[in-house]
Amino acid sequence: MALAQAKQDATEARVASLTVPRGGWSEPARQDALSRLQAMGLPHGRDEYWKYTRPDSLNSVEVPAARVLEHGEPPVFGTRDRLKIVFIDGVFDAEASDDLELEGVHIDRLAVAQDIHWAKDLYGHLEAAGQKPVPRPLAALNTAFATDGVLIHVTGRPSKPISLIYRHKSETSDAILHNVVKVDAGAEATILENGPAAARFNKCMEIDIADTGTLHHVRMQGRDHERRAVSHMFSRLGRESTYKSFTLTVNGVLTRNEQIVELTGDDAVAHVAGACLGDGDFTHDDTVFITHDAVNCESRQVFKKVLRNGATGVFQGKILVKEGAQKTDGYQISQSLLLDEDSQFLAKPELEIYADDVACSHGSTSGAIDDDSLFYLRARGVPRGEAEDLMTIAFIAEAVQEIEDETLQEEVVERVSGWLHRRRG
Amino acid sequence: MLEIKNLHVKLEEEDKAILKGVDLTVDAGKVHAIMGPNGSGKSTLSYVLSGRDGYEVTDGSAELLGEDILDMEPEERAAAGLFLAFQYPVEIPGVGNMTFLRTAVNAQRKARGEEEMSSADFLKLIRAKAKELKIDADMLKRPVNVGFSGGEKKRNEILQMAMLEPKMCILDETDSGLDVDAMRLVADGVNALRNAGRGFLVITHYQRLLDHIKPDVVHIMADGRIIKTGGPELALEVEKNGYEGLKEEMA
């Protein structure tokens, strides 16, 4: 069959261009991921899961070039006390990074972690589990070929966030990083991520949160217009644990962010949220799969997209409630604000429920800025541009409010204001 | 203050004339009331003056302090000193009431070339004004008008008026949907703003609001024109005989 052949050819070509790092504790998982990748093949535009977002430029051997944007503004999270870990085009930068020492957490790097490592039981395991029922080949590719990444074991309550900074300096860089996060019972940490990372970035994060553990994740994907990124966040939540993840994306020609959440312990809470703003050649895809496999768990998906000048937004979100997952509280909302008639939003909300005592709601809307509100603001003296910005920030507010830390919320809003302001010139 | 001459307005989308030659002059320090039946064009007049889309001025003029306002953007009219208290204040989820007001106050100041108000000064001022209108701190923090009762929305309009200190205030059926107590509170708020430098145009169906906000001049509007002008006693006449009686008298 032509499709199968095309997929196989693309997969073989890409695999041949990469090298599985040899030796060490992660190799069996990498070899396993490689054979899984070869069996499933790289994604193709004819695959149902890639119907709305073309995967070609994420698959190709050649990396489409991406210019490096000169940012003339203060760095994200710049004023905040944090433990910085810096990668430039996917390569660890020891000079720019802090010592990886912080009370309440053990941090290693994937590329140098020796011997029998705790991450051995997780690396590639959550990713492999997350391949069912939908294959995620670019995540398997990541597990097989990741050149580095951060292994974070949270044992207590570190006093400051762990901040992963991904800088982009080469126009043709192709970075593959794989992070593993393990949160012990009762432990709590915040992980920040920011930066465009590379011309093309494939990032995987596997997150295992033990009973009563908490992880906050706030990400701001870099502003470089031409960069491409695919990311997978696989999380597994134990009893009474909490996982809250928020992503802000401005610019980037192509972004596909997948969140695969498995609620395996009773009374667990998972909130995944995102806001994106795109202008022109911009495709942003949020693909979420949340599995309720325990009693009385809560999940929220809140995704907002602001699109203009032909930008495209995609949302594929699913809540799967397994048999016996009673008292599930699932909420899903995906909305787009279309600032002109050229932009489009494609949404595929899904619910699949096998328990009879659950509350699941979902909604999806597309719309323009409300004329009555706009007039009201202008009648009070707020100029049109500023009024539109206020309305835009109001539109994404529900997603931003999923961030627990209010100063982080403010930082996100500030970024968005800056972006909007520059658009108006 | 406000000078409207021979104003003709039609709907933009259809060939329907709404205002058919309105002449009206409001002097500084005066309160004018416009009364009239439904469909007479009262609200259209307020929208046209504040710059809402959907209307086309086919003839005539409107000047605020000698400046033609009909070609201005709504925000320019606001900065020039015009304020419309909406009949139906708009709910804006996600925009905090306080943020909204601070943005508006400073945008107007900026447009007039004045210095922006500091956060501290703004807070002090809004707290004092809110207290007079019995608007609590929670209402200030909530998104603009979201979840406000009818009375709270109207009080919020008056709060905005008090903060923005406009020169010419148009109140579009501010009494609609208010009970007696709420109306008194709103009227007190308006009366507190009356001064020699400010003009008011109070649009209403009923005489009862004018018991609380005493007008200097009363106009009766019907079918897109002002058909009669008089003193406060005119409002009482309407209350007694209805608009039909007046129309017959005019015919």
Side-chain angles (χ1 to χ4, degrees):
Chain A
M1 207 179 124
L3 176 61
Q5 190 62 47
K7 286 181 72 148
Q8 199 188 331
D9 290 350
T11 308
E12 288 315 318
R14 184 75 189 278
V15 166
S17 74
L18 296 164
T19 316
V20 177
R22 310 297 290 191
W25 53 268
S26 67
E27 194 177 340
R30 291 174 181 277
Q31 292 298 347
D32 175 61
L34 177 58
S35 15
R36 287 187 283 110
L37 170 65
Q38 285 168 321
M40 66 182 109
L42 282 169
H44 189 280
R46 303 255 291 271
D47 293 344
E48 182 63 24
Y49 219 45
W50 289 84
K51 193 172 169 182
Y52 305 120
T53 302
R54 287 192 70 86
D56 312 49
S57 63
L58 298 171
N59 292 338
S60 61
V61 173
E62 289 289 318
V63 181
R67 267 171 297 174
V68 178
L69 187 71
E70 293 299 332
H71 296 256
E73 62 176 337
V76 177
F77 307 128
T79 56
R80 170 172 293 269
D81 189 22
R82 60 205 163 126
L83 187 139
K84 295 196 286 286
I85 305 173
V86 181
F87 291 89
I88 298 176
D89 294 310
V91 179
F92 178 67
D93 182 343
E95 191 110 324
S97 302
D98 292 327
D99 280 343
L100 306 186
E101 296 292 330
L102 182 63
E103 203 178 314
V105 62
H106 296 293
I107 304 172
D108 282 308
R109 278 177 43 231
L110 174 62
V112 294
Q114 299 292 314
D115 308 326
I116 302 295
H117 197 275
W118 59 263
K120 186 172 187 256
D121 295 333
L122 290 173
Y123 188 91
H125 290 235
L126 296 188
E127 175 263 301
Q131 297 286 353
K132 283 178 220 123
V134 193
R136 305 172 198 278
L138 289 166
L141 179 136
N142 182 300
T143 298
F145 296 107
T147 54
D148 205 347
V150 185
L151 312 173
I152 301 168
H153 184 186
V154 185
T155 55
R157 291 170 180 259
S159 58
K160 51 187 174 185
I162 296 139
S163 174
L164 309 180
I165 299 162
Y166 307 115
R167 294 198 180 124
H168 171 207
K169 285 198 172 162
S170 153
E171 291 196 357
T172 54
S173 53
D174 191 17
I176 306 178
L177 296 179
H178 193 116
N179 305 319
V180 180
V181 181
K182 180 179 161 76
V183 180
D184 283 353
E188 177 167 357
T190 297
I191 294 181
L192 308 174
E193 292 187 285
N194 71 282
R200 182 169 70 186
F201 188 32
N202 180 329
K203 195 209 72 178
C204 201
M205 190 180 274
E206 293 176 285
I207 300 162
D208 186 36
I209 308 176
D211 297 351
T212 69
T214 299
L215 183 73
H216 302 276
H217 171 250
V218 177
R219 167 169 61 168
M220 298 207 216
Q221 288 176 308
R223 293 201 284 107
D224 291 17
H225 294 278
E226 292 160 353
R227 62 129 189 94
R228 286 154 211 277
V230 56
S231 77
H232 291 84
M233 313 265 306
F234 296 94
S235 53
R236 182 170 68 192
L237 278 73
R239 180 180 50 82
E240 290 172 46
S241 67
T242 303
Y243 169 56
K244 290 192 177 176
S245 174
F246 171 88
T247 300
L248 174 71
T249 310
V250 290
N251 301 345
V253 69
L254 176 63
T255 307
R256 162 101 161 197
N257 290 334
E258 297 197 17
Q259 285 270 6
I260 303 93
V261 181
E262 185 119 11
L263 296 144
T264 61
D266 295 348
D267 305 302
V269 173
H271 292 189
V272 292
C276 79
L277 297 100
D279 186 345
D281 194 1
F282 172 93
T283 297
H284 183 96
D285 177 334
D286 283 299
T287 290
V288 182
F289 199 113
I290 295 186
T291 306
H292 281 261
D293 197 11
V295 174
N296 202 32
C297 291
E298 173 193 311
S299 72
R300 284 173 66 84
Q301 303 172 46
V302 182
F303 289 88
K304 305 273 181 158
K305 295 177 166 60
V306 179
L307 306 166
R308 62 202 271 175
N309 286 330
T312 299
V314 177
F315 176 78
Q316 307 189 94
K318 178 159 181 168
I319 306 173
L320 169 63
V321 181
K322 287 197 173 174
E323 213 178 302
Q326 302 295 9
K327 306 286 179 197
T328 285
D329 180 1
Y331 173 74
Q332 181 197 80
I333 184 89
S334 67
Q335 295 181 305
S336 73
L337 180 65
L338 304 176
L339 295 180
D340 53 45
E341 286 174 6
D342 303 327
S343 303
Q344 62 169 346
F345 177 53
L346 305 157
K348 191 170 79 172
E350 287 180 281
L351 297 178
E352 194 176 328
I353 302 173
Y354 297 100
D356 55 10
D357 184 15
V358 303
C360 284
S361 59
H362 67 98
S364 183
T365 65
S366 265
I369 284 186
D370 178 54
D371 283 338
D372 287 338
S373 304
L374 194 61
F375 176 65
Y376 191 67
L377 290 168
R378 295 178 72 197
R380 294 296 173 258
V382 183
R384 176 188 275 275
E386 226 173 299
E388 284 177 351
D389 291 359
L390 263 180
M391 299 288 300
T392 303
I393 287 167
F395 169 75
I396 64 165
E398 188 190 358
V400 176
Q401 279 156 10
E402 289 296 331
I403 304 172
E404 221 165 81
D405 183 327
E406 281 186 18
T407 57
L408 278 172
Q409 286 186 16
E410 283 163 21
E411 279 188 69
V412 169
V413 168
E414 215 169 285
R415 283 282 137 174
V416 172
S417 303
W419 187 88
L420 291 167
H421 194 78
R422 281 192 300 278
R423 295 288 114 178
R424 288 198 275 119
Chain B
M1 173 68 62
L2 180 68
E3 198 166 7
I4 303 168
K5 281 185 190 156
N6 192 33
L7 189 63
H8 286 72
V9 171
K10 69 182 256 310
L11 289 180
E12 216 167 56
E13 302 277 299
E14 48 185 300
D15 231 359
K16 190 179 171 194
I18 310 279
L19 300 183
K20 301 167 182 172
V22 174
D23 288 283
L24 177 67
T25 301
V26 180
D27 290 326
K30 299 292 181 199
V31 174
H32 287 232
I34 294 189
M35 302 180 73
N38 285 327
S40 57
K42 306 186 303 291
S43 285
T44 296
L45 179 63
S46 73
Y47 287 141
V48 169
L49 291 175
S50 54
R52 196 187 190 106
D53 284 343
Y55 302 99
E56 192 186 321
V57 175
T58 51
D59 200 5
S61 66
E63 291 181 354
L64 180 67
L65 292 162
E67 238 186 314
D68 176 12
I69 56 169
L70 293 177
D71 281 336
M72 291 184 185
E73 297 294 335
E75 55 266 35
E76 293 169 338
R77 301 179 196 207
L82 189 76
F83 182 94
L84 169 66
F86 282 59
Q87 183 180 1
Y88 304 108
V90 181
E91 297 187 5
I92 313 182
V95 177
N97 212 8
M98 197 94 103
T99 308
F100 161 59
L101 259 171
R102 189 164 54 218
T103 307
V105 166
N106 282 329
Q108 290 202 14
R109 285 176 166 243
K110 204 172 144 194
R112 291 194 292 259
E114 299 165 9
E115 215 166 291
E116 293 191 5
M117 200 186 275
S118 75
S119 296
D121 288 348
F122 176 83
L123 270 177
K124 216 168 115 187
L125 188 64
I126 197 168
R127 283 198 185 122
K129 305 269 190 199
K131 202 174 160 198
E132 286 169 20
L133 287 157
K134 299 207 166 78
I135 288 174
D136 59 28
D138 183 53
M139 261 175 77
L140 291 177
K141 273 190 225 147
R142 267 153 52 191
V144 180
N145 294 325
V146 176
F148 287 24
S149 69
E152 286 173 333
K153 283 181 182 169
K154 295 297 169 80
R155 261 144 63 201
N156 201 29
E157 293 292 290
I158 307 305
L159 173 67
Q160 292 169 33
M161 195 192 285
M163 290 297 295
L164 293 166
E165 300 184 321
K167 298 191 179 90
M168 179 69 218
C169 307
I170 304 170
L171 280 71
D172 186 10
E173 306 210 9
T174 293
D175 50 338
S176 68
L178 294 189
D179 60 31
V180 181
D181 293 334
M183 188 157 62
R184 184 161 299 142
L185 205 56
V186 165
D188 287 349
V190 172
N191 288 328
L193 289 167
R194 288 177 76 158
N195 67 32
R198 188 170 285 143
F200 285 87
L201 188 59
V202 179
I203 295 171
T204 181
H205 267 296
Y206 304 106
Q207 193 267 336
R208 58 173 195 168
L209 179 66
L210 305 179
D211 285 342
H212 301 286
I213 304 174
K214 298 234 182 309
D216 299 297
V217 184
V218 174
H219 308 274
I220 307 298
M221 196 163 179
D223 193 27
R225 283 187 199 92
I226 287 173
I227 57 166
K228 192 169 185 183
T229 297
E233 73 286 349
L234 189 54
L236 296 168
E237 196 185 325
V238 167
E239 189 74 0
K240 208 168 127 209
N241 301 330
Y243 293 112
E244 283 308 316
L246 253 181
K247 273 201 242 174
E248 277 164 31
E249 180 192 318
M250 296 307 294

